[in-house]
Amino acid sequence: QVQLVESGGGLVQAGGSLRLSCAASGRTFSSGAMGWFRQAPGKEREFVAAISWAGISTLYADTVKGRFTISRNTAKNTLYLQMNSLKPEDTAVYYCAAALSTQPTVSDGEYHYWGQGTQVTVSS
């Protein structure tokens, strides 16, 4: 089992920045790919970013490419999402997720463990 706990969400003005963290425990953190997803009110959950087990390969949704950066620190068992130039449409609950595979994927079906989520609200 893997336990994931997100933190770092909050209220920020458009153009601002936030850094989300996801603390992992339970199994070897470095053995699988990790990802961030988000869900806005009334919308389906969508892929945001993912990173390989080694932290070398990354994937981003087109909507966040160039603004968000995913990274991981295996020594601290922590996943990060640096979010810059935030827009009101980035408002959502953000979830971190852990996959059994080593390579990043955009498919939420490939992620077997999920955190409880952290709210990000961007005001205009």
Side-chain angles (χ1 to χ4, degrees):
Q1 287 291 328
V2 175
Q3 292 79 45
L4 303 173
V5 179
E6 302 96 336
S7 62
L11 173 64
V12 64
Q13 289 188 332
S17 298
L18 283 174
R19 188 176 80 156
L20 304 184
S21 299
C22 174
S25 63
R27 72 173 170 96
T28 304
F29 175 70
S30 62
S31 63
M34 301 283 292
W36 288 98
F37 290 77
R38 66 186 182 186
Q39 187 167 20
K43 296 187 177 181
E44 293 187 353
R45 185 169 60 193
E46 65 175 3
F47 170 77
V48 176
I51 189 167
S52 64
W53 73 273
I56 297 175
S57 299
T58 57
L59 292 174
Y60 294 94
D62 288 342
T63 52
V64 307
K65 199 172 295 183
R67 299 187 298 122
F68 291 10
T69 301
I70 188 171
S71 61
R72 64 192 298 173
N73 185 324
T74 55
K76 295 184 177 181
N77 288 347
T78 303
L79 177 73
Y80 302 100
L81 185 67
Q82 178 67 44
M83 305 186 295
N84 299 328
S85 302
L86 283 161
K87 305 175 181 180
E89 51 264 44
D90 293 319
T91 295
V93 177
Y94 283 71
Y95 300 90
C96 72
L100 297 180
S101 62
T102 59
Q103 292 303 309
T105 174
V106 304
S107 173
D108 60 359
E110 296 295 318
Y111 294 85
H112 295 258
Y113 304 100
W114 294 83
Q116 293 299 308
T118 185
Q119 176 70 48
V120 171
T121 303
V122 184
S123 63
S124 58

